[in-house]
Amino acid sequence: MNALAATSRNFRQASKLLGLDSKLEKSLLIPFREIKVECTIPKDDGSLVSFIGFRVQHDNARGPMKGGIRYHPEVDPDEVNALAQLMTWKTAVAAVPYGGAKGGIGCSPGDLSSSELERLTRVFTQKIHDLIGTHTDVPAPDMGTNAQTMAWILDEYSKFHGHSPAPIDLGGSLGRDAATGRGVVFATESLLAEHGKSISGSTFVVQGFGNVGSWAASLIHERGGKVIAIGDVTGSIKNNNGIDVPALIKHKSGGGALKDFSGAEAMDSKDLLVHECDVLLPCALGGVLNRENAPHVKAKFVVEAANHPTDPEADEILAKKGVVVLPDIYANSGGVIVSYFEWVQNIQGFMWDEEKVNMELKKYMNNAFNNIKHMCKSHDCNLRMGAFTLGVNRVARATLLRGWEA
């Protein structure tokens, strides 16, 4: 099942639990706007190359639309649509005043030089500049993009609209870089506390060692958790006594491959997700837990740091096994929460210190967890449906209050 079908299915289940009117349900599912643009640029060798860019703006009932722009070869309209819809529910779960959007360009950023990436980003911005902005749609970094990409978007946007306090996430708030990973750790703390456990003394497997995975692993290590296996595209490693995460980060930032790290032994990447541990953190691509490997998952808890890492069939298998899954629309919302703090700081022109950013993030993550637990009790459902009913209900109420007509 692809990401769009799975997200829509979760939405429909939540809608049924909430008893939403069928016409309202249909209207909430339909995106506000879908944009598809051709981005043709000259390559460094003088040849022309064309890429397709997308921006899906899903819903703006609760505020300006918000969502990342990813550069990845697998970017397609269905995936972008699913992720935009997911952002609508995610921002509502987190109680930040945004709607959902998502964008991307189907390209392999690793195959493009820095100047080619800059040209591509600027052409994409030229095509969508009149549809984004502080109070309309706020793009953010995502897979394959970073603060540099955002700086190019900001610069190109400013050529058309003059100075704007915060048309784009520029990676400007302190704590923004660590936000998603830190949010994952706060979410994990809340989940474990609910079951009488804590990070200290628990074992963790982290799949994906990019921004989110490395920050999550580092903060878990800091709190006395034992990270016993880690994997990324270059390979997987394990050490049952716990991996020295700061040493691994140093090794990787020096250009070393994960599998060559001396403080752990290499393992088959296929075994990573089914390695014995207390908490499994998928932090990379979607769809990694499926009907083939879900029956063999040995973790007691799965914290979805990636978007849509568990497909619905795997969800059912894990539920039958008694594995508790903390859903992506809550678990990885730290990034969008701190993006919201950044937006507030930029509009006010008043910056917070990192301690305040982290303290506010913890407060938002804890409140969201308590609200999800309340929905679980009200609707007698699991955490995924608790999160979806919370998010969908908030968007539906905003839509009705604004005067939606059947």
Side-chain angles (χ1 to χ4, degrees):
M1 186 181 287
N2 73 16
L4 181 59
T7 306
S8 300
R9 171 180 150 155
N10 287 328
F11 165 78
R12 289 199 173 91
Q13 281 182 334
S15 173
K16 196 173 166 188
L17 283 172
L18 292 164
L20 292 189
D21 174 88
S22 63
K23 292 196 283 288
L24 175 60
E25 179 186 323
K26 193 175 179 183
S27 95
L28 287 175
L29 214 46
I30 298 166
F32 172 74
R33 184 188 283 132
E34 295 187 43
I35 307 151
K36 178 184 174 186
V37 293
E38 288 277 348
C39 302
T40 305
I41 59 159
K43 289 195 77 176
D44 292 344
D45 64 9
S47 63
L48 278 185
V49 63
S50 198
F51 300 96
I52 294 175
F54 302 97
R55 186 73 178 166
V56 173
Q57 298 172 329
H58 180 255
D59 188 276
N60 60 359
R62 297 180 60 258
M65 292 165 287
K66 170 86 188 155
I69 290 177
R70 56 175 51 186
Y71 289 0
H72 193 271
E74 285 170 31
V75 167
D76 67 65
D78 265 7
E79 187 204 33
V80 175
N81 213 317
L83 293 170
Q85 192 197 128
L86 212 53
M87 279 302 292
T88 297
W89 318 131
K90 184 185 289 185
T91 51
V93 169
V96 297
Y98 287 139
K102 203 76 174 186
I105 299 175
C107 68
S108 298
D111 297 344
L112 298 173
S113 69
S114 178
S115 57
E116 287 166 344
L117 281 170
E118 179 175 353
R119 287 195 288 275
L120 178 58
T121 303
R122 289 183 184 278
V123 169
F124 183 53
T125 310
Q126 287 163 18
K127 305 272 176 116
I128 66 165
H129 73 87
D130 51 349
L131 299 168
I132 60 173
T134 314
H135 301 294
T136 321
D137 174 3
V138 187
D142 201 297
M143 198 184 296
T145 58
N146 54 26
Q148 177 60 73
T149 320
M150 297 302 111
W152 290 328
I153 294 175
L154 171 64
D155 186 64
E156 201 60 33
Y157 178 91
S158 300
K159 290 175 186 175
F160 295 95
H161 301 275
H163 173 73
S164 181
I168 307 294
D169 267 357
L170 208 69
S173 174
L174 291 171
R176 176 68 186 87
D177 191 44
T180 308
R182 193 177 294 277
V184 165
V185 173
F186 288 149
T188 305
E189 283 180 326
S190 294
L191 178 66
L192 291 174
E194 185 76 15
H195 291 83
K197 300 179 189 298
S198 69
I199 285 179
S200 176
S202 296
T203 56
F204 297 81
V205 168
V206 179
Q207 190 234 7
F209 205 63
N211 174 279
V212 180
S214 59
W215 273 109
S218 178
L219 293 164
I220 285 165
H221 181 82
E222 220 175 79
R223 285 163 167 74
K226 201 186 276 188
V227 182
I228 56 170
I230 296 175
D232 70 1
V233 287
T234 68
S236 299
I237 54 171
K238 64 179 177 181
N239 180 342
N240 287 339
N241 296 319
I243 293 165
D244 182 346
V245 179
L248 176 61
I249 289 170
K250 197 173 172 187
H251 164 80
K252 203 171 170 241
S253 61
L258 204 67
K259 64 181 189 315
D260 300 328
F261 178 60
S262 59
E265 58 182 286
M267 67 182 287
D268 190 327
S269 288
K270 290 202 292 290
D271 298 333
L272 185 71
L273 293 163
V274 298
H275 194 65
E276 195 154 338
C277 63
D278 296 319
V279 186
L280 172 63
L281 272 76
C283 303
L285 288 168
V288 294
L289 289 169
N290 48 47
R291 66 176 174 204
E292 275 78 46
N293 59 12
H296 310 294
V297 168
K298 297 177 190 74
K300 300 172 190 73
F301 303 95
V302 174
V303 177
E304 294 188 331
N307 283 318
H308 184 63
T310 316
D311 72 23
E313 289 168 315
D315 232 359
E316 284 171 21
I317 294 165
L318 293 172
K320 286 194 183 107
K321 281 166 61 82
V323 178
V324 178
V325 179
L326 195 61
D328 51 3
I329 62 167
Y330 163 66
N332 67 25
S333 62
V336 73
I337 293 169
V338 175
S339 272
Y340 163 60
F341 298 163
E342 179 172 271
W343 183 71
V344 168
Q345 291 169 75
N346 284 335
I347 287 172
Q348 291 182 331
F350 181 80
M351 308 314 281
W352 304 352
D353 61 31
E354 193 165 353
E355 196 182 344
K356 179 174 168 67
V357 172
N358 295 339
M359 189 181 75
E360 291 292 333
L361 171 59
K362 184 168 189 171
K363 194 159 75 182
Y364 270 72
M365 293 300 294
N366 289 350
N367 287 346
F369 186 79
N370 293 333
N371 289 330
I372 290 167
K373 291 301 296 181
H374 177 73
M375 290 307 258
C376 290
K377 287 193 180 78
S378 303
H379 298 286
D380 188 25
C381 59
N382 64 16
L383 287 163
R384 190 181 307 283
M385 274 307 110
F388 264 88
T389 50
L390 176 65
V392 171
N393 190 42
R394 282 178 172 161
V395 178
R397 277 169 56 196
T399 305
L400 290 168
L401 281 167
R402 290 180 68 146
W404 180 84
E405 291 182 18

